[in-house]
């Protein structure tokens, strides 16, 4: 069994028995400058990814704010910065995190996002302020290498952890490949692709649970 991951460098890469894991980073994370004056009046801040935590430079300015994270991996990255009290929604989605922030009575919430996420959601989500602190740059030669493995059915499972990844590879996917999607937005971006298995828990642990189920089924 061969599984293809498309995770950025330095990401957590799981180890599974009797499985060959191939990781090909197709994005480079590029931190971008942001206007930290936004942070002066906030009463809460939400992080949507570990990358957003990595590129955020003003933790000293948010020590009095309520802090939220979309999932456990992101929450752990924040805790490692010295913030033990991080609230995580039951469902690991951006919308669920924002709803939790609003339900907690926040008046001036800020959500830290990638440029891609901001451009996708800015017209749909209007009740928070977005702070963009990183962008994703495609590593073209790695993308072509990944597409080649997928087109030639040289892997059995492809793990797709973002809508951007889905949009870049979906035209290369055929029925010989199983797709494990991290969540509903990613699955929607894979429209037209068959054999999609969506994680019930929308983080890397949820993805691993789906993979374990597929491995168990394949072994009878």
């Amino acid at each position: 069994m061969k599984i293809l991951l498309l995770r950025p460098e330095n990401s957590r890469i799981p180890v599974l028995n009797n499985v060959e894991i191939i990781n090909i980073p197709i994005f480079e994370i590029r931190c971008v400058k942001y206007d930290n004056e936004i942070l002066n009046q906030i009463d809460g801040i939400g992080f949507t990814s570990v990358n957003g935590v990595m590129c955020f430079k003003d933790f000293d300015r948010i020590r009095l704010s309520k802090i939220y994270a979309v999932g456990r991996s992101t929450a752990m990255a924040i805790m490692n910065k010295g913030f033990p009290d991080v609230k995580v929604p039951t469902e690991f989605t951006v919308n669920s995190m924002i709803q939790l922030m609003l339900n907690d009575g926040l008046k001036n919430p800020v959500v830290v996002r990638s440029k891609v996420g901001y451009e996708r959601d800015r017209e749909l989500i209007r009740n928070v302020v977005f702070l963009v602190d990183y962008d994703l740059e495609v590593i073209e030669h790695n993308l072509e290498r990944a597409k080649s493995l997928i087109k030639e059915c040289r892997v059995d499972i492809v793990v797709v952890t973002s809508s951007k990844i889905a949009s870049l590879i979906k035209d290369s996917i055929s029925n010989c490949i199983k797709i494990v999607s991290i969540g509903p937005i990613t699955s929607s971006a894979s429209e037209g692709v068959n054999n999609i298995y969506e994680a019930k828990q929308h983080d890397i642990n949820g993805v691993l649970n789906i993979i374990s189920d597929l491995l168990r089924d394949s072994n009878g």
Side-chain angles (χ1 to χ4, degrees), residues 1 7 13 17 20 36 38 47 61 81 91 94 102-103 106 113 124 135 142 146 151 165 192 200 210 216 218:
M1 177 74 71
R7 307 271 284 162
I13 306 301
N17 292 332
E20 180 181 351
N36 60 11
I38 293 173
F47 291 85
R61 300 182 67 164
K81 298 287 186 179
E91 185 178 359
V94 175
L102 298 175
N103 289 346
L106 298 188
R113 297 232 65 180
L124 301 174
D135 197 5
N142 278 1
K151 285 179 180 177
I165 291 175
K200 295 179 181 179
I210 292 290
R216 189 163 47 247
S218 68

mmCIF file of all heavy atoms in Angstrom, residues 1 7 13 17 20 36 38 47 61 81 91 94 102-103 106 113 124 135 142 146 151 165 192 200 210 216 218:
data_model
loop_
_atom_site.group_PDB
_atom_site.id
_atom_site.type_symbol
_atom_site.label_atom_id
_atom_site.label_comp_id
_atom_site.label_asym_id
_atom_site.label_seq_id
_atom_site.Cartn_x
_atom_site.Cartn_y
_atom_site.Cartn_z
ATOM 1 N N MET A 1 0.849 -1.198 0.000
ATOM 2 C CA MET A 1 0.000 0.000 0.000
ATOM 3 C C MET A 1 0.884 1.247 0.000
ATOM 4 O O MET A 1 1.802 1.362 0.813
ATOM 5 C CB MET A 1 -0.907 -0.010 1.231
ATOM 6 C CG MET A 1 -1.782 1.223 1.390
ATOM 7 S SD MET A 1 -3.165 1.298 0.233
ATOM 8 C CE MET A 1 -4.220 -0.014 0.859
ATOM 9 N N ARG A 7 1.942 17.397 2.002
ATOM 10 C CA ARG A 7 2.073 18.285 3.152
ATOM 11 C C ARG A 7 3.311 19.169 3.020
ATOM 12 O O ARG A 7 4.324 18.747 2.455
ATOM 13 C CB ARG A 7 2.191 17.465 4.434
ATOM 14 C CG ARG A 7 1.091 16.439 4.641
ATOM 15 C CD ARG A 7 -0.069 17.013 5.380
ATOM 16 N NE ARG A 7 0.245 17.143 6.802
ATOM 17 C CZ ARG A 7 -0.423 17.918 7.639
ATOM 18 N NH1 ARG A 7 -1.407 18.661 7.195
ATOM 19 N NH2 ARG A 7 -0.109 17.956 8.924
ATOM 20 N N ILE A 13 4.414 13.898 9.621
ATOM 21 C CA ILE A 13 4.235 12.804 8.666
ATOM 22 C C ILE A 13 4.027 11.512 9.460
ATOM 23 O O ILE A 13 4.911 11.094 10.206
ATOM 24 C CB ILE A 13 5.461 12.662 7.732
ATOM 25 C CG1 ILE A 13 5.762 13.990 7.048
ATOM 26 C CG2 ILE A 13 5.203 11.558 6.705
ATOM 27 C CD1 ILE A 13 4.645 14.553 6.208
ATOM 28 N N ASN A 17 2.164 0.962 9.849
ATOM 29 C CA ASN A 17 2.725 -0.361 9.595
ATOM 30 C C ASN A 17 2.361 -0.849 8.197
ATOM 31 O O ASN A 17 1.217 -0.717 7.756
ATOM 32 C CB ASN A 17 2.210 -1.370 10.631
ATOM 33 C CG ASN A 17 2.755 -1.095 12.025
ATOM 34 O OD1 ASN A 17 3.847 -0.547 12.169
ATOM 35 N ND2 ASN A 17 2.000 -1.465 13.040
ATOM 36 N N GLU A 20 3.830 2.401 2.741
ATOM 37 C CA GLU A 20 4.858 3.332 2.285
ATOM 38 C C GLU A 20 4.237 4.724 2.163
ATOM 39 O O GLU A 20 3.301 4.922 1.389
ATOM 40 C CB GLU A 20 5.431 2.905 0.936
ATOM 41 C CG GLU A 20 6.518 3.859 0.426
ATOM 42 C CD GLU A 20 7.080 3.465 -0.928
ATOM 43 O OE1 GLU A 20 6.757 2.351 -1.417
ATOM 44 O OE2 GLU A 20 7.842 4.276 -1.511
ATOM 45 N N ASN A 36 -0.437 44.948 12.292
ATOM 46 C CA ASN A 36 -0.720 44.511 13.653
ATOM 47 C C ASN A 36 -1.514 45.529 14.469
ATOM 48 O O ASN A 36 -1.886 45.258 15.622
ATOM 49 C CB ASN A 36 0.555 44.103 14.390
ATOM 50 C CG ASN A 36 1.566 45.227 14.516
ATOM 51 O OD1 ASN A 36 1.264 46.400 14.244
ATOM 52 N ND2 ASN A 36 2.782 44.886 14.929
ATOM 53 N N ILE A 38 -4.418 46.111 13.871
ATOM 54 C CA ILE A 38 -5.711 45.429 13.981
ATOM 55 C C ILE A 38 -5.894 44.836 15.378
ATOM 56 O O ILE A 38 -7.016 44.727 15.889
ATOM 57 C CB ILE A 38 -5.803 44.309 12.916
ATOM 58 C CG1 ILE A 38 -5.849 44.907 11.508
ATOM 59 C CG2 ILE A 38 -7.016 43.415 13.143
ATOM 60 C CD1 ILE A 38 -5.766 43.865 10.409
ATOM 61 N N PHE A 47 -7.263 31.064 15.208
ATOM 62 C CA PHE A 47 -6.255 30.583 14.255
ATOM 63 C C PHE A 47 -6.820 29.377 13.517
ATOM 64 O O PHE A 47 -7.374 28.464 14.129
ATOM 65 C CB PHE A 47 -4.967 30.197 14.979
ATOM 66 C CG PHE A 47 -4.219 31.358 15.563
ATOM 67 C CD1 PHE A 47 -4.550 31.841 16.817
ATOM 68 C CD2 PHE A 47 -3.202 31.964 14.860
ATOM 69 C CE1 PHE A 47 -3.874 32.914 17.373
ATOM 70 C CE2 PHE A 47 -2.507 33.045 15.397
ATOM 71 C CZ PHE A 47 -2.845 33.523 16.660
ATOM 72 N N ARG A 61 0.951 40.585 22.247
ATOM 73 C CA ARG A 61 -0.135 41.566 22.189
ATOM 74 C C ARG A 61 -1.513 40.944 22.381
ATOM 75 O O ARG A 61 -2.511 41.660 22.419
ATOM 76 C CB ARG A 61 -0.089 42.315 20.854
ATOM 77 C CG ARG A 61 1.207 43.073 20.640
ATOM 78 C CD ARG A 61 1.220 43.843 19.348
ATOM 79 N NE ARG A 61 0.259 44.946 19.353
ATOM 80 C CZ ARG A 61 0.291 45.952 18.475
ATOM 81 N NH1 ARG A 61 1.242 45.983 17.551
ATOM 82 N NH2 ARG A 61 -0.612 46.903 18.524
ATOM 83 N N LYS A 81 3.287 28.057 22.474
ATOM 84 C CA LYS A 81 3.729 29.453 22.562
ATOM 85 C C LYS A 81 3.499 30.030 23.958
ATOM 86 O O LYS A 81 3.755 31.202 24.208
ATOM 87 C CB LYS A 81 2.986 30.309 21.534
ATOM 88 C CG LYS A 81 3.225 29.930 20.083
ATOM 89 C CD LYS A 81 4.603 30.321 19.622
ATOM 90 C CE LYS A 81 4.758 30.072 18.114
ATOM 91 N NZ LYS A 81 6.112 30.470 17.642
ATOM 92 N N GLU A 91 -16.817 20.802 16.004
ATOM 93 C CA GLU A 91 -16.551 20.497 14.602
ATOM 94 C C GLU A 91 -15.385 21.352 14.143
ATOM 95 O O GLU A 91 -15.402 22.572 14.295
ATOM 96 C CB GLU A 91 -17.782 20.778 13.739
ATOM 97 C CG GLU A 91 -17.603 20.375 12.287
ATOM 98 C CD GLU A 91 -18.859 20.610 11.468
ATOM 99 O OE1 GLU A 91 -19.869 21.075 12.033
ATOM 100 O OE2 GLU A 91 -18.824 20.331 10.262
ATOM 101 N N VAL A 94 -13.699 26.313 10.048
ATOM 102 C CA VAL A 94 -13.566 27.752 10.299
ATOM 103 C C VAL A 94 -14.906 28.334 10.735
ATOM 104 O O VAL A 94 -14.982 29.119 11.691
ATOM 105 C CB VAL A 94 -13.034 28.469 9.049
ATOM 106 C CG1 VAL A 94 -13.011 29.988 9.267
ATOM 107 C CG2 VAL A 94 -11.636 27.981 8.706
ATOM 108 N N LEU A 102 -18.498 34.003 18.375
ATOM 109 C CA LEU A 102 -19.661 34.896 18.479
ATOM 110 C C LEU A 102 -20.582 34.474 19.610
ATOM 111 O O LEU A 102 -21.134 35.308 20.334
ATOM 112 C CB LEU A 102 -20.408 34.930 17.144
ATOM 113 C CG LEU A 102 -19.606 35.486 15.952
ATOM 114 C CD1 LEU A 102 -20.412 35.362 14.671
ATOM 115 C CD2 LEU A 102 -19.199 36.932 16.189
ATOM 116 N N ASN A 103 -20.749 33.165 19.792
ATOM 117 C CA ASN A 103 -21.579 32.664 20.894
ATOM 118 C C ASN A 103 -20.995 33.031 22.251
ATOM 119 O O ASN A 103 -21.732 33.169 23.241
ATOM 120 C CB ASN A 103 -21.734 31.149 20.796
ATOM 121 C CG ASN A 103 -22.616 30.716 19.639
ATOM 122 O OD1 ASN A 103 -23.327 31.527 19.050
ATOM 123 N ND2 ASN A 103 -22.563 29.443 19.298
ATOM 124 N N LEU A 106 -18.051 37.674 21.817
ATOM 125 C CA LEU A 106 -16.990 38.557 21.330
ATOM 126 C C LEU A 106 -17.574 39.664 20.450
ATOM 127 O O LEU A 106 -18.425 39.408 19.606
ATOM 128 C CB LEU A 106 -15.943 37.763 20.542
ATOM 129 C CG LEU A 106 -15.167 36.679 21.303
ATOM 130 C CD1 LEU A 106 -14.055 36.132 20.422
ATOM 131 C CD2 LEU A 106 -14.610 37.187 22.618
ATOM 132 N N ARG A 113 -5.708 34.014 8.874
ATOM 133 C CA ARG A 113 -5.947 33.160 7.712
ATOM 134 C C ARG A 113 -4.794 33.216 6.732
ATOM 135 O O ARG A 113 -3.969 34.134 6.763
ATOM 136 C CB ARG A 113 -7.211 33.618 6.972
ATOM 137 C CG ARG A 113 -8.468 33.506 7.776
ATOM 138 C CD ARG A 113 -9.548 32.743 7.047
ATOM 139 N NE ARG A 113 -9.191 31.351 6.812
ATOM 140 C CZ ARG A 113 -9.989 30.487 6.182
ATOM 141 N NH1 ARG A 113 -11.161 30.898 5.717
ATOM 142 N NH2 ARG A 113 -9.652 29.242 6.004
ATOM 143 N N LEU A 124 -18.122 35.707 2.039
ATOM 144 C CA LEU A 124 -19.083 34.823 2.692
ATOM 145 C C LEU A 124 -19.170 35.067 4.192
ATOM 146 O O LEU A 124 -20.218 34.856 4.797
ATOM 147 C CB LEU A 124 -18.700 33.362 2.434
ATOM 148 C CG LEU A 124 -18.631 32.926 0.963
ATOM 149 C CD1 LEU A 124 -18.107 31.498 0.872
ATOM 150 C CD2 LEU A 124 -19.988 33.043 0.302
ATOM 151 N N ASP A 135 1.035 33.144 2.873
ATOM 152 C CA ASP A 135 0.570 32.784 1.543
ATOM 153 C C ASP A 135 1.185 31.447 1.160
ATOM 154 O O ASP A 135 2.164 30.997 1.771
ATOM 155 C CB ASP A 135 0.970 33.870 0.529
ATOM 156 C CG ASP A 135 0.184 33.785 -0.764
ATOM 157 O OD1 ASP A 135 -0.736 32.944 -0.847
ATOM 158 O OD2 ASP A 135 0.482 34.553 -1.700
ATOM 159 N N ASN A 142 7.454 19.909 -7.934
ATOM 160 C CA ASN A 142 6.868 18.908 -7.036
ATOM 161 C C ASN A 142 5.417 18.604 -7.405
ATOM 162 O O ASN A 142 4.968 17.464 -7.317
ATOM 163 C CB ASN A 142 6.939 19.399 -5.590
ATOM 164 C CG ASN A 142 8.286 19.152 -4.953
ATOM 165 O OD1 ASN A 142 9.191 18.633 -5.597
ATOM 166 N ND2 ASN A 142 8.438 19.528 -3.699
ATOM 167 N N ALA A 146 3.941 14.962 -8.349
ATOM 168 C CA ALA A 146 2.768 14.385 -7.684
ATOM 169 C C ALA A 146 1.704 13.994 -8.702
ATOM 170 O O ALA A 146 1.116 12.899 -8.618
ATOM 171 C CB ALA A 146 2.211 15.377 -6.666
ATOM 172 N N LYS A 151 -1.591 10.183 -11.911
ATOM 173 C CA LYS A 151 -2.071 9.792 -13.239
ATOM 174 C C LYS A 151 -1.696 8.357 -13.576
ATOM 175 O O LYS A 151 -2.470 7.630 -14.207
ATOM 176 C CB LYS A 151 -1.485 10.730 -14.295
ATOM 177 C CG LYS A 151 -2.099 12.110 -14.340
ATOM 178 C CD LYS A 151 -1.425 12.955 -15.418
ATOM 179 C CE LYS A 151 -2.015 14.346 -15.486
ATOM 180 N NZ LYS A 151 -1.315 15.190 -16.499
ATOM 181 N N ILE A 165 -5.204 22.358 -2.617
ATOM 182 C CA ILE A 165 -4.579 21.131 -3.117
ATOM 183 C C ILE A 165 -5.541 20.377 -4.014
ATOM 184 O O ILE A 165 -5.174 19.913 -5.104
ATOM 185 C CB ILE A 165 -4.129 20.238 -1.941
ATOM 186 C CG1 ILE A 165 -2.964 20.881 -1.192
ATOM 187 C CG2 ILE A 165 -3.724 18.844 -2.437
ATOM 188 C CD1 ILE A 165 -2.544 20.126 0.048
ATOM 189 N N GLY A 192 -16.518 16.099 -8.938
ATOM 190 C CA GLY A 192 -16.276 15.323 -10.144
ATOM 191 C C GLY A 192 -15.363 14.138 -9.925
ATOM 192 O O GLY A 192 -15.239 13.277 -10.799
ATOM 193 N N LYS A 200 -14.347 12.338 9.331
ATOM 194 C CA LYS A 200 -15.409 12.846 10.202
ATOM 195 C C LYS A 200 -14.857 13.892 11.165
ATOM 196 O O LYS A 200 -15.539 14.840 11.536
ATOM 197 C CB LYS A 200 -16.045 11.688 10.973
ATOM 198 C CG LYS A 200 -16.781 10.700 10.077
ATOM 199 C CD LYS A 200 -17.369 9.546 10.879
ATOM 200 C CE LYS A 200 -18.075 8.548 9.964
ATOM 201 N NZ LYS A 200 -18.629 7.396 10.718
ATOM 202 N N ILE A 210 -9.563 7.503 8.888
ATOM 203 C CA ILE A 210 -10.107 7.021 7.605
ATOM 204 C C ILE A 210 -9.129 6.064 6.937
ATOM 205 O O ILE A 210 -9.516 5.002 6.419
ATOM 206 C CB ILE A 210 -10.418 8.205 6.670
ATOM 207 C CG1 ILE A 210 -11.591 9.032 7.208
ATOM 208 C CG2 ILE A 210 -10.727 7.716 5.259
ATOM 209 C CD1 ILE A 210 -12.934 8.334 7.141
ATOM 210 N N ARG A 216 -7.822 -1.572 6.863
ATOM 211 C CA ARG A 216 -8.483 -2.739 7.437
ATOM 212 C C ARG A 216 -9.372 -3.414 6.397
ATOM 213 O O ARG A 216 -9.389 -4.649 6.290
ATOM 214 C CB ARG A 216 -9.303 -2.292 8.655
ATOM 215 C CG ARG A 216 -9.856 -3.438 9.474
ATOM 216 C CD ARG A 216 -10.286 -3.000 10.867
ATOM 217 N NE ARG A 216 -11.097 -1.764 10.812
ATOM 218 C CZ ARG A 216 -10.690 -0.594 11.306
ATOM 219 N NH1 ARG A 216 -9.478 -0.475 11.831
ATOM 220 N NH2 ARG A 216 -11.478 0.460 11.239
ATOM 221 N N SER A 218 -8.971 -3.311 3.155
ATOM 222 C CA SER A 218 -8.156 -3.915 2.085
ATOM 223 C C SER A 218 -7.520 -5.222 2.540
ATOM 224 O O SER A 218 -7.201 -6.090 1.725
ATOM 225 C CB SER A 218 -7.059 -2.934 1.641
ATOM 226 O OG SER A 218 -6.102 -2.735 2.651
#
